[in-house]
Amino acid sequence: MSKKVLIIGGVAGGASTAARLRRLDETLEIIIFERGEYISYANCGLPYYIGDVIKERDALLLQTPEAMMAKFNIDVRVNHEVLSIQREVKEVTVKNGKTGEEYREAYDTLLIATGSSPIKPPIPGIDGPGIYTLWTVPDTDRIKQFVREQKPKKAAIIGGGFIGLEMAENLHAAGCQVTVIEMQNQVMAPMDYEMAQLVHENMRMNHVRLELGDGVKEFRQKEGATTILLQSGKTVEADIVILSIGIKPNSELARKSGLTLNAKGGIVVDEFLKTSDPSIYAVGDVIEVEEYVSKNRTMIPLAGPANKQARICADNIAKEYGLLAGKPEKYNGTQGTSIAQVFDLTAAATGVNEKTLTSWGKELNRDYYIAIINQKSHAGYYPGATPLTLKLIFNQEGKIFGAQIVGQDGVDKRIDTIATTLRLGGTVHDLAELELAYAPPYSSAKDPVNMLGFVAENILSGLVSIVGWNELENLAQSGSEDYIILDVGEDLERMAFSIPNSCHIPLGQLRKRYQELDKEKLIIPYCAIGVRAYNAARILMNLGFKNVKIFPGGTTFYKSVFHDPAMGQRSSEGGETMEHTTQPIKTQEIDMGKIVAKQTLDCSGLQCPGPIMRVFQTIKEMEEGEILQVSATDMGFVRDIEAWCKRMGNTLLKSERVGKENIVYIRKGLATGNGLPQEAKGADSIPAALPQGKTLIVFSGDLDKVLASFIIANGAAAMGRPVTMFFTFWGLNALRKREKQSIKKPLMDSMFGAMMPRGTSKLTLSKMHMGGMGTQMMKKVMKDKNIDSLEDLMRQAMFNGVKLVACTMSMDVMGITKEELIDGIEYAGVAAYLGDAEESNVNLFI
């Protein structure tokens, strides 16, 4: 008598198990119950169908019930929901969704492959019109129809996971202004923060608004649109909202039948994928798995592991019935290899990230090292080479814990190479030794994976040490003077950019000038991508310097990590002052049809400092007023060339992104008016535009004066002007938190703090305060006349990009610590303020 296998769930895990079972044996009776209408569909492709990348809907449907019967003799019953499992008699109760009929079906072996569902937290208004989840084919149909018929102009994505980012890209392609709202401080949880910053930068360059570290408080509907109120008080307007908050296992059926679940609702299975009932297996998103590196139990919902589990499960069922020889197969854990395309970037990860390692704790003895490098996707001299940023996490023995890669090309094959090495127990030494295919269009003689291995070996052997990506900022904030940041790049590079507070000795001069450096201090060399910094470190260490650490990835990595204005830094005395921002570069408004480039220059794939050097050499040979067209694949090239042009007295006419290249047009000399040469415009030419920034020194702590400051700042920001507010002495009180902070301070500092107002609500009028009555009258009048409060004005200013800077010298004098000031502000000294003032045509002292 043949055995009967029932499978609950007909997508990845269920359908794959059924097909494998049939290939192993023709006598088994196999029935699949799927409560939805479709089986075995490509849910990873759903966002791309909405964005018309995938044109045909049928391409998403990998199998149909009819095809499964014809090809595999498998009875697939769609619109059939299993309501309960009677384990004691080995039966299930099933409901036919079309007829409403309920019946029982017996089994010899049962497989639960019920997958997962999107999380919908109890947020007010979350079930309103225009708010969707994307998980199934019907979900896709509803969203596709809405986009086609309603033609939304504004879209909001709640959640920064894979589906959320893919939907952001596809809705952007459909013509929507897109905002991504994520409660964590980054998108893409498998990536560490600094690597996710590369993705953030790219999304902002593609004009996607990011609201990070902020959750949704409420959805409000009005006139067919949704207003999203965030926990911070900000609001986001949207015509369509996609919920991508996360997923939960569909394990209610297993719970009701008494199977063992973990704390997150995942079904607990053994190494053979059996549940706590020996007649019931489970696979896919619904189960708890062993994380491959840590051996901890966790949930990793990915399609690849689900399909591999299905194959093992089918084999084990067949072996249990004597249909296949051999011992039961073990599922040896999930290492979480994942990849996603985000506009023209690809981000991928395998193994565990640094956040996970840190959470393990020292009691598990998980000390580790980090290597971060910048490489090209293939030989730099071959056209089309693009940057890759690679991060490797490993321990003293060379064991690989995990890796992350972000780039435009070649990310997939590099992460797969590292994932394979990790899976097979390889070490960083194996990465260095791997013999990989090489030809200029595909790779380099030393592939980026080999380079990761080389760098890791150098770290383990003590030939080089690396500072953490955020260590420079920590050192700057500590006030320590026991370190030197050393720029070993060329003069022309420094004209474009330099890390704040760095000194400059080009690599070629270091052997002659090393005496200028203090051997007792920590020396931190850097260059554009890190190669020259490593050479500089070796020179210094060979000359007797004991404490030398390089900054990983160079300024290319630094600028991307600190691109966000909220993390903004400024270059030091050696370089042109510039803001780290991905706002569109301000270029001359010109009719490119009237502009003919005298020369074109392809800098794509060039290693540092190649692009800037070639631009300099080419411009030098050109005549005044001639136009140079330059193409480069480096993400930071446009920002660098803008600063370089200003420094050198040339004009950046236009920048654009074409495919994977940045194209810029540079006029030799200063352009006037619309950017055309003087002779092309005649007598109506006008001078080049003056700086348009606004700076305000907020010295006063009086309510009325601080109000005036923010009203002016918001007005300037609304006109598109860059605004800096520099808070010093009594003005710092406006930035203090309302709540008293538990901080140990010297007696004098504590007395100052007790006597000064704590935050905006405690500020008083400069005149007519009248023991508080005048101040309260002013606030009431403002409310009655619908004038924004000071708190609202501050939130608007920060939302509009106004930079609030606390003077660190004044903080020391006043005894105010960073913990006492509100979030989202910057800390700097007079030099940083003066740098902003030089870029401004209005400077106010209030």
Side-chain angles (χ1 to χ4, degrees), residues 532-600:
R532 287 170 292 168
Y534 169 63
N535 290 327
R538 292 307 308 150
I539 290 171
L540 294 174
M541 293 170 75
N542 288 333
L543 290 170
F545 286 76
K546 303 297 184 184
N547 196 5
V548 182
K549 297 183 178 182
I550 70 171
F551 183 81
T555 56
T556 301
F557 185 61
Y558 181 93
K559 286 181 290 186
S560 292
V561 170
F562 292 100
H563 77 277
D564 188 348
M567 302 179 66
Q569 302 295 320
R570 290 188 171 271
S571 59
S572 56
E573 73 281 359
E576 180 69 24
T577 299
M578 66 173 287
E579 294 184 9
H580 297 261
T581 175
T582 51
Q583 297 303 313
I585 301 296
K586 293 182 179 179
T587 54
Q588 297 286 327
E589 292 295 329
I590 58 175
D591 180 358
M592 291 308 297
K594 298 179 181 179
I595 296 296
V596 178
K598 182 72 174 179
Q599 293 193 49
T600 60

Side-chain angles (χ1 to χ4, degrees), residues 188-241:
M188 296 196 74
M191 313 293 288
D192 284 315
Y193 176 79
E194 72 275 20
M195 297 296 286
Q197 277 286 77
L198 308 183
V199 180
H200 298 163
E201 176 188 39
N202 184 259
M203 294 179 72
R204 290 182 172 117
M205 289 179 70
N206 282 282
H207 308 294
V208 172
R209 172 183 168 189
L210 294 179
E211 292 294 341
L212 304 176
D214 209 348
V216 177
K217 185 177 181 180
E218 183 180 355
F219 296 98
R220 297 174 180 172
Q221 305 290 330
K222 185 178 181 181
E223 298 178 356
T226 302
T227 297
I228 306 166
L229 178 63
L230 304 185
Q231 298 290 346
S232 65
K234 296 179 183 178
T235 58
V236 175
E237 302 294 329
D239 302 313
I240 183 172
V241 178

